[in-house]
Amino acid sequence: MTTFQTELVAIATATNAELDRLLAPVSGPEGRVTEAMRYAALDGGKRLRPFLAVASADLFDVPRARALRAAAAVEMIHCYSLVHDDLPAMDDDDLRRGRPTVHKRFDEATAILAGDALLTEAFAVLADPATHPDGAIRAALVAELARASGAAGMVGGQMIDLMAANLALDDSGLKRLQNLKTGCLIAVACRMGAVLGGASVATIDLLGNYGMDMGLAFQIADDVLDVESSAAETGKATGKDAAAGKATFVSRLGLDGAKTLAHTLAVQAGNHLDSFGNKSKLLREAAMFAVTRRN
Ligand code: GRG
């Protein structure tokens, strides 16, 4: 395994332990929702966003325990978005991370509530003094994650995606949709590492720019996998974009064009980190992983 792969696994393992500790146990009459939250958040996923939060925090020598709380918070938001995206009212999927989706394993109402509770718990984690002793830093983390997740970020992107068939998006419209839906959350994972490290606004923005380029590369690679890969490899349904007649980077540029653009963006992402020198090696490798992964 490369250093990057070893680190990705190590951070994923530590994130799982953190999520297990932070999520309430299954108990009492409300235990069904905590069981669904744990089902959605534990056991599975590449944990790329937690990796980015921790690797970014490492640039500023942030204590690992603090970085893992930010990592767990961003993963809770990601997991909530997957649970809601899979609902019949949205993408209507039966398979996620190689297992039945939450509404299939439980029911729709429980899936909605589990998503809602993962969303709100993420902010409770960030607001807790264990995340950082300085209240201003905690408030900045909450504001960053809220902005990236809401109507100006991921939720906005999802809204555009749901209406995309009727919008006749041009290339820049498609890029904006993907930046909002996927890029903002990936970028904020990187930004939160820098916020935890007390970095300047300019430095936080460098990490954010890395994240936005890497996020777009990641999404284009996802479009490629949707065409080239199978459910057995990805753990989720594939071929859905073409079946839905959705415009993607693959439908616009062709497979080779999409792969070339993803690679160019991954290199461009790394270039934002030049000033960190060799310290940013893992993040550069993460950008390459985003475009070469098989799931
Ligand atoms: C419902 C508010 C709301 C938002 C949904 C995340 C999302 C937005 C939709 C999921 C569908 C999709 C293909 C989104 C693009 C981002 C993406 C590729 C998500 C999957 O992320 P991975 O590959 O998943 O990191 P794992 O399972 O590895 O964590």
Side-chain angles (χ1 to χ4, degrees):
M1 279 212 281
T2 62
T3 320
F4 165 73
Q5 283 166 328
T6 310
E7 275 303 301
L8 183 62
V9 171
I11 293 170
T13 305
T15 302
N16 291 347
E18 189 68 17
L19 285 166
D20 189 26
R21 212 173 53 74
L22 290 170
L23 290 169
V26 180
S27 145
E30 71 277 35
R32 187 171 172 82
V33 76
T34 49
E35 190 184 352
M37 290 165 75
R38 299 180 70 86
Y39 180 85
L42 301 174
D43 303 325
K46 295 177 286 299
R47 308 302 198 198
L48 179 67
R49 295 154 192 80
F51 171 88
L52 293 171
V54 171
S56 161
D58 281 353
L59 293 177
F60 307 94
D61 300 318
V62 171
R64 188 53 68 94
R66 292 182 192 169
L68 281 172
R69 292 181 65 88
V74 74
E75 186 67 13
M76 284 180 195
I77 298 280
H78 173 56
C79 294
Y80 123 72
S81 80
L82 297 179
V83 173
H84 281 193
D85 182 67
D86 290 335
L87 285 167
M90 298 215 198
D91 234 22
D92 195 10
D93 274 308
D94 296 351
L95 190 67
R96 172 68 65 184
R97 294 175 166 172
R99 298 181 306 169
T101 46
V102 176
H103 67 275
K104 284 282 164 191
R105 165 68 179 73
F106 295 84
D107 56 75
E108 275 184 55
T110 305
I112 292 168
L113 291 176
D116 290 343
L118 283 168
L119 164 64
T120 43
E121 185 60 25
F123 294 106
V125 169
L126 292 182
D128 189 298
T131 300
H132 199 286
D134 183 343
I137 299 247
R138 299 200 300 276
L141 290 170
V142 167
E144 286 270 357
L145 190 59
R147 249 182 254 122
S149 311
M154 183 180 71
V155 166
Q158 179 76 348
M159 187 75 256
I160 302 171
D161 195 27
L162 290 172
M163 304 196 319
N166 304 320
L167 289 177
L169 296 173
D170 60 10
D171 284 355
S172 82
L174 179 62
K175 182 174 166 209
R176 179 165 180 268
L177 149 59
Q178 305 299 10
N179 278 342
L180 292 177
K181 190 176 88 166
T182 309
C184 285
L185 199 63
I186 287 182
V188 83
C190 306
R191 292 177 67 90
M192 288 202 305
V195 171
L196 270 174
S200 67
V201 172
T203 303
I204 296 168
D205 285 346
L206 280 184
L207 268 301
N209 292 339
Y210 159 85
M212 287 308 289
D213 282 341
M214 123 80 115
L216 191 56
F218 180 89
Q219 178 60 54
I220 297 171
D222 213 67
D223 291 350
V224 171
L225 285 174
D226 192 61
V227 175
E228 282 195 331
S229 195
S230 65
E233 269 187 298
T234 61
K236 62 184 180 184
T238 53
K240 290 201 70 166
D241 292 339
K246 267 191 191 174
T248 67
F249 284 95
V250 174
S251 71
R252 284 282 159 74
L253 307 173
L255 268 174
D256 286 344
K259 286 180 191 176
T260 304
L261 178 58
H263 188 269
T264 304
L265 284 163
V267 173
Q268 188 174 300
N271 290 344
H272 292 294
L273 305 181
D274 279 349
S275 55
F276 292 100
N278 202 40
K279 253 191 143 182
S280 64
K281 189 166 169 276
L282 272 184
L283 286 169
R284 288 168 191 275
E285 287 175 7
M288 278 303 150
F289 163 79
V291 297
T292 52
R293 68 204 165 91
R294 292 301 302 163
N295 69 9

